[in-house]
Amino acid sequence: MVKAADRAKNPARSSVWLEKRATRSGGGPAGLDRDRIVAASIRMLDEEGLAKLSMRKLATELGVTAMSLYWYVDTKDDIIEFAMDSVYGEFDLAAIDAARDWQDRIRVLAREYRAMLVRHTWMSPSAGQYLNIGPNAIAVAYKIQQAISDTGLSLDRQPGAMSAVFQFVYGYGTIESQFGRRAAEAGMSQDEFYVDSVKAFRDDPEFSPQIEGMQEILDERASHGSVGAIWDRDFDHALDVLIAGIEVMVAREAEGARRQK
């Protein structure tokens, strides 16, 4: 069994996907398997977040003893890693492959990633804490790498382009998901929460000087009548800007290569 203390000794190599577990003797608890544990953990994470996930609560949800879980996982970190990889399995890889060119593939990948982050608000704070090298995550990473490679950018420019697009998506999806979580915790729709929060800002006389310079943009956003419409419009436009930037960089590199001949 891999204990938390053992993981702490070598965190850079700590992952459920790298550790070799000893084979358990005999059969596991009846009616329980890793897929069922992971599915239950995702439900709990979606409803309550990372902080409230525990082996004891998960066992109660599954109707088993906490010790039963250790037949399939060694730590709570194992469960989170399995859960993270499972939601990467929600990406529609067939839709990515069906896209006509690298621009469309990047758009599909970006929208799939954003949707996953919004569906699972616990994913954003999990990023960076784990190596995230499960089979589904690797499959998605490979599709991203392929799409960026097909832009025609030189190898040393590809990581920057990848970061520009997908770090943007991570940030956008994180803000969107946390806004939705905050609205839900307040017992309000996103539209209600947005209208109330902006009204509070506008009605506070201390903010009058700042609002004066923001009046047009606040009015423009309010004219859409739906926070969801604002999220979608701004995301798509920003993604178009990033893709256009990559196209400019590709053309610039091609022009530079021609001049050197």
Side-chain angles (χ1 to χ4, degrees):
M1 181 176 292
V2 180
K3 298 180 180 178
D6 297 328
R7 288 177 180 265
K9 293 176 183 176
N10 195 359
R13 296 182 58 83
S14 178
S15 171
V16 70
W17 304 106
L18 295 175
E19 292 155 357
K20 309 302 180 187
R21 297 184 66 211
T23 303
R24 304 298 200 251
S25 59
L32 192 64
D33 57 34
R34 196 178 81 186
D35 288 344
R36 189 176 166 216
I37 292 170
V38 172
S41 70
I42 292 172
R43 288 196 302 272
M44 292 184 66
L45 287 164
D46 287 346
E47 292 171 5
E48 302 182 5
L50 282 167
K52 294 186 178 180
L53 180 69
S54 70
M55 300 292 263
R56 187 181 300 277
K57 290 182 70 173
L58 183 56
T60 299
E61 172 76 10
L62 289 164
V64 300
T65 65
M67 288 305 298
S68 298
L69 299 180
Y70 291 106
W71 189 271
Y72 300 96
V73 293
D74 291 327
T75 68
K76 187 174 79 170
D77 282 340
D78 288 359
I79 293 173
I80 294 172
E81 284 196 83
F82 285 134
M84 289 176 70
D85 195 64
S86 180
V87 299
Y88 270 98
E90 296 171 4
F91 276 63
D92 188 347
L93 300 185
I96 296 163
D97 290 338
R100 59 183 180 178
D101 50 32
W102 66 261
Q103 291 93 333
D104 279 351
R105 272 185 285 150
I106 286 177
R107 288 187 178 94
V108 175
L109 280 159
R111 288 166 185 156
E112 289 285 309
Y113 187 21
R114 172 197 169 200
M116 181 264 280
L117 291 169
V118 172
R119 279 194 302 269
H120 306 290
T121 60
W122 51 274
M123 277 295 291
S124 293
S126 299
Q129 295 190 50
Y130 301 93
L131 291 181
N132 203 17
I133 53 173
N136 291 320
I138 292 294
V140 171
Y142 181 61
K143 296 296 183 186
I144 290 173
Q145 186 275 326
Q146 278 186 314
I148 296 296
S149 176
D150 287 347
T151 63
L153 282 171
S154 57
L155 189 61
D156 63 320
R157 297 294 179 90
Q158 291 178 23
M162 193 180 307
S163 294
V165 174
F166 293 98
Q167 290 299 329
F168 152 71
V169 178
Y170 169 80
Y172 198 97
T174 296
I175 297 298
E176 184 179 1
S177 69
Q178 296 309 309
F179 183 88
R181 180 190 61 80
R182 182 76 173 115
E185 287 176 349
M188 305 168 75
S189 69
Q190 288 196 43
D191 292 340
E192 292 168 338
F193 191 86
Y194 178 76
V195 169
D196 267 19
S197 59
V198 172
K199 187 176 186 302
F201 172 58
R202 285 179 136 168
D203 290 348
D204 191 325
E206 290 188 14
F207 288 103
S208 294
Q210 292 92 334
I211 289 175
E212 186 175 349
M214 300 171 62
Q215 193 73 41
E216 285 188 342
I217 191 68
L218 288 172
D219 289 344
E220 193 282 329
R221 295 179 79 79
S223 70
H224 290 274
S226 165
V227 172
I230 295 171
W231 286 124
D232 291 343
R233 183 203 65 171
D234 291 353
F235 180 84
D236 287 343
H237 179 64
L239 192 54
D240 284 344
V241 169
L242 289 166
I243 289 172
I246 294 173
E247 290 171 340
V248 168
M249 294 300 295
V250 171
R252 187 178 297 173
E253 284 193 1
E255 179 62 24
R258 280 194 296 270
R259 289 180 178 178
Q260 288 179 0
K261 288 182 179 180

